[in-house]
Amino acid sequence: MESVANTVHREPWNKSKIVGQKAPFKLKDIWAIRVRLQMQSRARELALFNLGVDSKLRGCDLVSLKVRDICHGDQVATRAVVMQRKTQRPVQFEITLATREAVQKWIKQAGLKSEDFLFRSRIHDSPHLGTRQYARILKGWVEELGLDTADYGTHSMRRTKVTLIYRRTKNLRAVQLLLGHSKLESTVRYLGIEVDDALEISEQTEI
């Protein structure tokens, strides 16, 4: 007798969801989140937020960082290099003073060792914070600011600093290197650069 396989109905992952590029945070939003986390002594979240903005890493790379990835001995380094999971290409990033202080405080408070994950999960089955948990934490920050959660996601963190850098410098190559993109076209798409941006640059160039 011929067996008939049961067909399982799967709804599209993006059904009833707003998809597309997530907005980067504005400077005022960055400081509003930082101040809130500092005043409420949420050391883990402050370290996660600051490092997310500085590193410009994808969520999967950020949550799987180990203490040794960003520390030299017992001090947080000023720069770090991480192998990106998606591309298997290394990317370098800076760690600013405010971020170093926040991360150092979290490491001390949590009693983390060199081989420990920087953001350990509070779920027993997971060794480190998962990307979904990270997304939920970020959603909480957005809600606390009264912003529309549909406009922001974990990629907002990745896009925030490079968007500011591009607006100030118009240096696409620098942004490409910071994001670890292999192709400049990917960086252009990622930043959402439009014709108006290109014309504005051209108008500022006198010959």
Side-chain angles (χ1 to χ4, degrees), residues 170-195:
K170 304 299 183 184
N171 190 332
L172 268 177
R173 175 60 178 160
V175 173
Q176 179 192 5
L177 291 170
L178 292 169
L179 289 172
H181 285 163
S182 58
K183 296 180 180 179
L184 198 60
E185 292 83 353
S186 301
T187 307
V188 171
R189 286 197 303 273
Y190 197 80
L191 287 177
I193 296 171
E194 303 292 345
V195 175

Side-chain angles (χ1 to χ4, degrees), residues 73-116:
D74 59 353
Q75 295 296 315
V76 179
T78 56
R79 291 183 179 179
V81 180
V82 170
M83 187 67 71
Q84 300 173 96
R85 186 179 300 181
K86 181 178 179 180
T87 63
Q88 290 302 302
R89 291 166 56 90
V91 65
Q92 189 175 39
F93 58 89
E94 77 289 352
I95 307 176
T96 59
L97 178 60
T99 299
R100 294 199 301 272
E101 290 175 346
V103 171
Q104 194 81 56
K105 182 177 180 180
W106 165 241
I107 290 172
K108 184 177 180 181
Q109 181 177 311
L112 300 177
K113 304 278 193 293
S114 176
E115 66 277 7
D116 290 336

Side-chain angles (χ1 to χ4, degrees), residues 22-116:
K22 298 300 183 181
F25 287 105
K26 297 183 175 73
L27 270 176
K28 65 174 184 177
D29 300 328
I30 294 170
W31 283 107
I33 292 172
R34 279 178 176 160
V35 169
R36 186 182 294 269
L37 296 178
Q38 286 172 339
M39 292 184 68
Q40 296 176 0
S41 300
R42 290 151 67 179
R44 177 177 181 248
E45 290 184 43
L46 181 60
L48 179 65
F49 178 78
N50 280 357
L51 195 55
V53 170
D54 268 2
S55 71
K56 303 163 284 288
L57 291 172
R58 294 178 181 87
C60 60
D61 293 323
L62 177 65
V63 298
S64 59
L65 284 174
K66 289 191 173 184
V67 173
R68 65 185 177 215
D69 292 328
I70 62 166
C71 286
H72 291 158
D74 59 353
Q75 295 296 315
V76 179
T78 56
R79 291 183 179 179
V81 180
V82 170
M83 187 67 71
Q84 300 173 96
R85 186 179 300 181
K86 181 178 179 180
T87 63
Q88 290 302 302
R89 291 166 56 90
V91 65
Q92 189 175 39
F93 58 89
E94 77 289 352
I95 307 176
T96 59
L97 178 60
T99 299
R100 294 199 301 272
E101 290 175 346
V103 171
Q104 194 81 56
K105 182 177 180 180
W106 165 241
I107 290 172
K108 184 177 180 181
Q109 181 177 311
L112 300 177
K113 304 278 193 293
S114 176
E115 66 277 7
D116 290 336

